[in-house]
C-alpha cells in the first residue's frame, strides 16, 4: 500500500516559540520516517509539503484547490491519501474535499492533533498512525480520523477547543463521496458568503448591510429554524430573493437540524425563498454554497436542497 501525505501545517508539526506555536518543517516528516522504518506503519509513502505551512486559521479556498490538485494529479500512483491539517478549520477543508473531489474511489483521510508531536503528551503519533491505517482500509470517500474515530467529511465539526477527542460527526445518510463517472477536482473560487448567527436584539439593518456586500448568506437560526420577527429582517430576506442571492438556513444546534414548517417564524423563511439547510452543519452549508457558485450551478435551490454526499444528515 502506498500513501501520499499532504502536509499543510497545524498543531501536529508545530514548535514552541516565544510568540506561541508555529508550523515547522521536519517534525511530521521525522515522525513518518520513524513510523515506517520501525514497521509500526506498513507500506510505503511520499510527502508533499505546502509552502508556506500554515496555522489552519489562514486557510483559503485556493489552498483547497492546491490540496485537491495534489490528489488528482498523483491519483494513480497511490492507494490512499492523508491530509495533515490544523484542527481549527479542518471541518471546512474536509467538506471542501468531499464536495470538490468528484468521482473519488479511494480513501482521503484528514487528520491533525491537539497537542504538537514535540510535546510528551501529544496525540499526533496516534492520529497519524490511525490515519495511515484508514488510508489503506477505509471505504472510498473523505474521512476525518481523530482520537480513534473515523468521521464523515461533510458531517464533522470541531466540538472541543482543548480535549484530544475534539471532533464529532452527526449521522449521515450516505458516505462522504461525491459520485461521478470520472475523477475530477472542481476548483473553488472566492465569494463573500457571511455566516450570520441570530442573537436577541440583532438589528435587521445589520443583515441588510451585510447582504449588500455579499453573494449569498448562511443564516444560523435558533433551534428548529426560528429567527426574530422584525420587519427589517423580513425585508432583508425579501431583498435577497429579489436580488437572486441564495440564502441557506441551518440550526445553531449540533443535532436535529431544522424543521421550517414547525413554527410561524420559520414559515417566513420559506415564504422568502430561503433554502432549507436541513441538518447540514454551518461549515457544510457554507462550503456547498461556495462550491455551487464556483461551478456556476444555475438551479441553486434544487442543488442546495438535495444531498450529494450525505451532508444534510
Ligand atoms: N491553530 C491550530 C490550527 O488550526 C490548531 C490545531 O491545529 O489544533 O492550525
Amino acid at each position: 500500500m502506498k500513501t501520499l501525505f499532504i502536509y499543510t501545517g497545524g498543531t501536529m508539526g508545530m514548535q514552541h516559540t516565544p510568540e506561541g506555536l508555529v508550523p515547522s518543517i521536519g517534525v511530521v516528516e521525522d515522525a513518518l520516517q520513524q513510523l515506517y522504518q520501525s514497521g509500526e506503519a506498513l507500506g510505503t509513502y511520499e510527502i508533499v509539503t505546502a509552502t508556506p505551512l500554515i496555522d489552519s486559521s489562514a486557510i483559503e479556498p485556493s489552498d483547497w484547490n492546491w490540496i485537491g490538485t495534489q490528489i488528482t494529479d498523483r491519483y494513480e500512483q497511490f492507494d490512499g491519501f492523508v491530509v495533515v491539517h490544523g484542527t481549527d478549520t479542518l471541518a471546512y477543508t474536509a467538506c471542501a474535499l468531499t464536495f470538490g473531489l468528484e468521482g473519488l474511489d479511494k480513501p482521503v483521510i484528514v487528520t491533525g492533533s491537539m497537542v504538537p508531536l514535540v510535546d510528551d503528551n501529544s496525540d499526533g503519533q496516534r492520529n497519524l498512525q490511525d490515519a495511515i491505517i484508514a488510508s489503506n482500509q477505509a471505504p472510498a470517500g473523505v474521512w476525518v480520523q481523530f482520537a480513534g474515530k473515523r468521521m464523515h467529511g461533510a458531517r464533522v465539526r470541531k466540538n472541543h477547543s482543548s480535549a484530544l477527542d475534539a471532533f464529532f460527526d452527526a449521522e449521515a445518510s450516505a458516505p462522504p463521496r461525491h459520485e461521478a463517472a470520472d475523477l475530477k477536482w472542481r476548483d473553488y473560487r472566492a465569494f463573500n458568503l457571511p455566516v450570520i448567527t441570530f442573537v436577541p436584539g440583532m438589528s435587521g439593518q445589520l443583515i441588510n448591510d451585510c447582504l449588500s456586500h455579499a453573494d449569498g448568506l448562511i443564516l444560523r437560526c435558533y433551534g428548529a429554524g426560528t429567527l426574530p420577527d422584525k420587519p427589517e429582517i423580513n425585508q432583508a430576506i425579501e431583498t435577497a430573493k429579489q436580488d437572486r442571492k441564495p440564502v441557506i438556513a441551518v440550526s445553531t444546534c449540533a443535532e436535529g437540524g431544522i424543521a421550517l414548517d414547525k413554527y410561524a417564524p420559520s414559515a417566513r423563511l420559506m415564504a422568502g425563498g430561503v433554502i432549507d439547510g436541513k441538518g447540514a452543519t454551518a461549515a457544510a452549508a457554507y462550503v456547498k454554497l461556495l462550491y455551487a457558485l464556483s461551478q456556476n450551478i444555475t438551479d441553486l435551490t434544487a442543488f442546495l436542497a438535495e444531498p450529494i454526499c450525505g451532508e444534510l444528515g
Side-chain angles (χ1 to χ4, degrees):
M1 297 302 266
K2 193 166 180 191
T3 304
L4 178 66
F5 289 83
I6 302 164
Y7 176 30
T8 66
T11 294
M12 186 185 276
M14 286 189 183
Q15 297 267 19
H16 295 276
T17 74
E19 285 78 43
L21 286 164
V22 294
S24 72
I25 304 239
V27 176
V28 168
E29 292 85 337
D30 287 352
L32 282 177
Q33 201 178 15
Q34 209 261 324
L35 280 172
Y36 278 91
Q37 272 178 3
S38 65
E40 285 170 279
L42 299 178
T44 56
Y45 75 100
E46 283 182 33
I47 180 165
V48 282
T49 303
T51 314
L53 290 169
I54 54 170
D55 182 300
S56 77
S57 52
I59 202 94
E60 290 283 332
S62 55
D63 298 310
W64 299 335
N65 296 339
W66 179 78
I67 300 169
T69 311
Q70 293 304 313
I71 294 170
T72 51
D73 281 358
R74 310 183 67 190
Y75 195 68
E76 296 309 329
Q77 302 159 41
F78 295 91
D79 302 299
F81 302 84
V82 174
V83 179
V84 178
H85 199 284
T87 61
D88 288 341
T89 57
L90 189 150
Y92 289 88
T93 297
C95 281
L97 296 176
T98 311
F99 292 119
L101 279 169
E102 295 182 9
L104 185 67
D105 59 5
K106 295 180 182 181
V108 172
I109 313 298
V110 190
T111 194
S113 73
M114 298 297 284
V115 178
L117 279 163
V118 293
D119 288 3
D120 288 341
N121 55 347
S122 175
D123 52 336
Q125 167 131 352
R126 179 208 184 168
N127 289 346
L128 212 45
Q129 234 171 326
D130 288 351
I132 295 168
I133 295 169
S135 74
N136 291 337
Q137 295 179 356
V142 179
W143 304 95
V144 172
Q145 181 70 45
F146 217 93
K149 298 189 293 194
R150 187 170 74 212
M151 293 165 278
H152 190 287
R155 299 289 292 145
V156 73
R157 63 178 90 219
K158 186 174 177 180
N159 235 18
H160 205 291
S161 60
S162 60
L164 301 188
D165 188 5
F167 287 86
F168 159 86
D169 69 334
E171 230 174 280
S173 56
R177 260 190 90 224
H178 189 167
E179 281 195 33
D182 301 307
L183 179 79
K184 179 143 183 52
W185 170 253
R186 300 283 184 188
D187 266 345
Y188 288 87
R189 295 190 285 129
F191 290 94
N192 281 322
L193 301 175
V195 180
I196 294 176
T197 304
F198 286 112
V199 287
M202 179 188 270
S203 112
Q205 189 54 43
L206 197 65
I207 300 180
N208 252 317
D209 292 347
C210 201
L211 196 58
S212 64
H213 301 285
D215 301 302
L217 289 182
I218 291 86
L219 300 179
R220 294 183 75 229
C221 300
Y222 301 126
T226 59
L227 69 164
D229 185 5
K230 287 188 172 181
E232 324 88 76
I233 293 181
N234 299 339
Q235 184 53 52
I237 290 169
E238 188 52 38
T239 307
K241 189 177 175 184
Q242 280 160 12
D243 295 350
R244 305 177 70 85
K245 292 185 178 176
V247 179
I248 308 182
V250 293
S251 177
T252 43
C253 294
E255 291 187 70
I258 54 172
L260 291 186
D261 52 358
K262 190 168 178 189
Y263 295 101
S266 22
R268 285 186 286 108
L269 287 176
M270 288 205 287
V274 171
I275 298 157
D276 186 343
K278 300 182 180 143
T281 63
Y286 168 76
V287 175
K288 190 175 180 185
L289 183 51
L290 196 63
Y291 170 91
L293 294 174
S294 301
Q295 303 313 314
N296 291 318
I297 288 174
T298 41
D299 190 351
L300 279 177
T301 307
F303 177 77
L304 294 166
E306 282 303 312
I308 58 173
C309 49
E311 74 279 8
L312 300 182

